[in-house]
């Protein structure tokens, strides 16, 4: 090997040493920097006719497409679970745990105890005052929880708007990074830094919305949602959010755009196509999907359950239960119901057996054409009672040909078929709503709707009366002014009469409720069935289980994400110990190359002096 060959090899070695030191210094300087990928210098050996030497041919950035894709997906899933768990954890704090002071089941227990106190000592002012106080606490709690839930729904809309602003900025930034990665004159270090920026932006976008990233050989990236809607390719899509303003229990999502009363989340593609992300089911992950689920489903169901409690609280006090009178017509036997004063939402219920099988029917006074089997197996039918007893009897008679059903002014008669052992009418009761505090029986309106209106569970109002009732329920002002009305059901009646209190106690135990309406409308929702105490217990248990499940899901997904991050740290991260060991290698190589250059210089100097 000649002197010039040795000199050339040493000089190229020094150059590679310098490039390697540049890469190493960047690695050490960025150790621990989020999103930084370890870099390594590419060195290629060249063989010439008279020499062998090395050259650097760019910088390699640590990157694993499969790992990055899995990470991006898990970021979306973890963000989705995290935002839902965060809201539900707060909701649990407001609802309280079973048996905890201030929880709904505890407050109901206190209400029943106060009611029992009136039954024991109806003439005791303190007992009656305690009953009013317990009822007021129950009402205020339902009002407060409703306000809290609607406030949380409003908060989700604010967070959605903030996320929309952020994701548009990040998509625009990523659309600027892509063309810069195609620039031919860029240094390797600058290109690697752009790749880091690209991946950080993709990760940040994935936290907001579920994305699939297509990493291309030229370094650019295209994004689309898991459902296949393009976000970034030849152009960039833009998100927008049309707020609905203040949300109330009546502000619910509907697939019919005109009927929907919540904010709209719109995506506009580069071609000008607009997509409603919620209506068309585009969102499958990320914070946006979690926030929409909270706003339109989870928190709405929580509000509906509060409304079920409010309705089941009001009705046992105000419902007049009128059992049917035994009636015979020839061989046929049955019951005759008084259906006067039946307000919208009131109902009649009857049970009959057919061939030894009991069947239960509930006929609701409504314009809605209801006909379904509820969660308890009871058939629910909607009828307009204003048609009169005659037409009502004829219509029901046609629906139940095995029974003899007829009616007239103010009554409905339900008889068996007169054949022994074929059909048998077992019970029938009409439920109407009390309209006064005295002189109209034992039932009374302790709990009222807005404007002191009676709660009848009217299905024909817009929206139905039960919707949002927990936010409106109040104590009858007349009872707040004079608690004697809790026991005096007749004008001038004695204060020592416990009949009204005992009537309500019996109603609370025997009146059963079923949540929602038809099975189609209740699809995906937890079904409630039972008396008020059972309904409250079911709701408290369901919410507790749902919240715990959400927290567990969040922790599981975060654990998975942490595992992926650890793997990425192993594949992409900078190990300072390894880099320092590499630095020692470079120092030794630098010293060796420098020594060769020095020796060659001395030999050349000697050679020139000799000549």
């Amino acid at each position: 090997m000649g002197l010039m060959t040795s000199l050339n090899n040493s000089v190229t070695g020094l150059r590679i040493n310098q490039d390697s030191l540049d890469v190493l210094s960047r690695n050490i300087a960025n150790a621990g920097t989020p999103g930084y990928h370890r870099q390594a210098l590419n060195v290629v050996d060249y063989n010439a006719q008279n020499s062998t030497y090395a050259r650097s041919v760019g910088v390699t950035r640590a990157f694993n497409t499969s790992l990055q894709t899995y990470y991006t997906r898990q970021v979306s899933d973890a963000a989705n679970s995290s935002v839902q768990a965060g809201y539900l954890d707060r909701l649990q704090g407001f609802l309280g745990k079973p048996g905890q002071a201030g929880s709904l089941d505890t407050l109901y227990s206190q209400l029943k105890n106060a009611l029992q106190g009136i039954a024991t000592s109806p003439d005791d002012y303190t007992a009656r005052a305690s009953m009013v106080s317990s009822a007021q606490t129950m009402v205020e709690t339902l009002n407060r929880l409703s306000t809290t839930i609607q406030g949380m729904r409003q908060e989700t809309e604010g967070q959605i708007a903030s996320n929309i602003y952020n994701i548009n900025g990040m998509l625009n930034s990523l659309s600027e990074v892509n063309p810069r990665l195609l620039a031919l004159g860029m240094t390797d270090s600058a290109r690697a830094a752009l790749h880091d920026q690209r991946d950080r932006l993709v990760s940040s976008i994935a936290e907001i919305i579920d994305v699939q990233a297509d990493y291309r050989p030229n370094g650019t990236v295209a994004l689309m949602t898991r459902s296949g809607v393009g976000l970034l390719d030849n152009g960039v899509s833009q998100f927008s959010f049309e707020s609905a303003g203040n949300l109330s229990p009546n502000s619910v999502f509907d697939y019919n755009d005109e009927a929907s009363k919540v904010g709209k989340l719109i995506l506009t593609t580069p071609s000008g196509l607009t997509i409603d992300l919620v209506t068309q089911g585009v969102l499958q992950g990320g914070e946006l999907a979690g926030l929409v689920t909270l706003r339109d489903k989870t928190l709405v169901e929580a509000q509906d359950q509060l409304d079920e409690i409010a309705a089941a609280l009001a009705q046992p006090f105000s419902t007049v239960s009128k059992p049917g009178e035994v009636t015979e017509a020839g061989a046929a036997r049955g019951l005759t119901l008084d259906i006067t004063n039946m307000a919208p939402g009131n109902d009649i219920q009857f049970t009959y057996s057919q061939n030894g099988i009991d069947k239960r029917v509930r006929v609701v006074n409504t314009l809605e054409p209801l006909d379904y089997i509820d969660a308890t197996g009871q058939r629910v039918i909607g009828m307009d009672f204003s048609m009169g007893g005659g037409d009502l009897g004829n219509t029901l008679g046609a629906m139940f040909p095995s029974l003899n059903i007829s009616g007239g002014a103010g009554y409905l008669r339900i008889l068996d078929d007169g054949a022994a052992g074929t059909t048998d009418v077992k019970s029938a009761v009409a439920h109407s709503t009390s309209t006064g505090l005295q002189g109209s029986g034992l039932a009374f309106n302790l709990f009222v709707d807005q404007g002191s209106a009676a709660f009848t569970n009217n299905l024909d109002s817009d929206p139905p009366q039960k919707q949002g009732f927990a936010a409106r329920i109040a104590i009858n002002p007349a009872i707040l002014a004079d608690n004697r009305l809790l026991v005096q059901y007749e004008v001038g009646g004695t204060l020592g009469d416990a009949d009204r209190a005992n009537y309500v106690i019996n109603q609370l135990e025997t009146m059963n409720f079923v949540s929602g309406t038809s099975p189609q409308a209740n699809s995906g929702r937890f079904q409630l069935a039972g008396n008020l105490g059972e309904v409250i217990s079911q709701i408290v248990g369901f919410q507790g289980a749902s919240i715990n499940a959400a927290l567990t899901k969040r922790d599981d997904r975060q654990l998975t994400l942490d595992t992926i991050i650890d793997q990425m740290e192993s594949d992409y991260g900078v190990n300072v110990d390894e880099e320092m060991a590499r630095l020692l290698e470079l120092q030794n190589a630098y010293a060796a190359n420098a020594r060769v250059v020095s020796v060659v210089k001395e030999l050349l100097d000697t050679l020139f002096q000799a000549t």
Side-chain angles (χ1 to χ4, degrees), residues 338-349:
D338 177 2
I339 58 172
T340 57
N341 302 317
M342 300 290 284
N346 290 166
D347 62 47
I348 60 172
Q349 296 180 357

Side-chain angles (χ1 to χ4, degrees), residues 212-274:
Q212 295 183 20
D214 178 17
Y215 296 98
R216 293 170 175 171
N218 59 13
T220 61
V221 64
L223 298 180
M224 68 172 61
T225 66
R226 293 178 195 169
S227 56
V229 177
L231 302 179
L232 175 69
D233 197 350
N234 296 325
V236 58
S237 298
Q238 290 293 305
F239 291 82
S240 60
F241 180 65
E242 301 174 9
S243 174
N246 292 328
L247 298 185
S248 72
N250 300 328
S251 304
V252 294
F253 168 77
D254 195 294
Y255 284 99
N256 180 354
D257 188 57
E258 294 181 357
S260 186
K261 297 179 181 179
V262 295
K264 298 177 184 177
L265 192 53
I266 305 296
L267 179 72
T268 304
T269 66
S271 63
L273 176 66
T274 59

